[in-house]
Amino acid sequence: MSPKNTICLWYDGDALEAARFYARTFPDSAVGATFRAPGDYPDGQQGDVLTVEFTVAGIPCVGLNGGPHFQHSEAFSFQVATDDQAETDRLWHAIVDNGGQESECGWCKDRWGVSWQITPRALLAAITDPDPAAARRAFNAMMTMRKIDIAAIEAARRGAA
């Protein structure tokens, strides 16, 4: 049974490559069925992979090889909660070191332009601390970071930074 909602991501001919990368990188991810074009289309030929079904961290997606007409933007991102610094580092570096690019506050882009928020659970706990001063210190520390440094966030939350 197919899911009621599926995220469709537009690619310029390399949806299958992206899906395979996501499946290797993120837990609870897999590549599903591919659909090959039954005829030529504006940005491809009969037999080319037109769509690929995949799951990223449990989220059903379909990659559409629609051509160069539309690009991804930061207006859409995957937010991935991490449990510790090792997982944060692994996911961040998997994306950035595979042709991606760093941004601020835990955000990065993969080589296809899809935005990711690699967000430690400790960060979310710190910036929602019931003590407004602790939350502000943690938030201000986050604003200076690219990849999130959990120890630095926790130190700022305690007022030790």
Side-chain angles (χ1 to χ4, degrees):
M1 181 176 199
S2 63
K4 184 172 183 160
N5 292 310
T6 301
I7 295 171
C8 182
L9 298 168
W10 188 287
Y11 295 88
D12 186 12
D14 47 9
L16 183 57
E17 181 183 356
R20 288 176 176 160
F21 170 76
Y22 303 145
R24 284 191 314 270
T25 303
F26 297 96
D28 195 20
S29 301
V31 177
T34 59
F35 174 71
R36 295 189 177 273
D40 292 348
Y41 60 105
D43 287 294
Q45 299 176 346
Q46 179 178 343
D48 288 352
V49 173
L50 185 59
T51 63
V52 58
E53 296 174 0
F54 59 97
T55 304
V56 175
I59 300 170
C61 301
V62 63
L64 170 66
N65 282 327
H69 313 292
F70 299 106
Q71 303 298 310
H72 298 284
S73 83
E74 292 81 357
F76 172 87
S77 65
F78 284 97
Q79 185 179 52
V80 180
T82 57
D83 292 324
D84 55 31
Q85 193 66 54
E87 183 181 21
T88 300
D89 293 349
R90 184 185 72 76
L91 294 177
W92 176 273
H93 287 292
I95 292 167
V96 171
D97 296 347
N98 187 47
Q101 106 187 55
E102 295 184 0
S103 192
E104 287 131 12
C105 304
W107 290 62
C108 55
K109 279 186 187 177
D110 66 28
R111 65 185 276 190
W112 301 279
V114 176
S115 290
W116 297 85
Q117 297 177 59
I118 307 303
T119 310
R121 294 179 198 281
L123 171 65
L124 297 176
I127 65 175
T128 60
D129 191 297
D131 175 356
R136 186 173 30 261
R137 288 190 304 268
F139 181 81
N140 289 341
M142 176 200 67
M143 294 299 293
T144 68
M145 298 176 184
R146 289 190 173 272
K147 177 179 54 125
I148 301 301
D149 178 337
I150 296 171
I153 292 293
E154 290 174 346
R157 182 180 188 183
R158 290 188 312 270

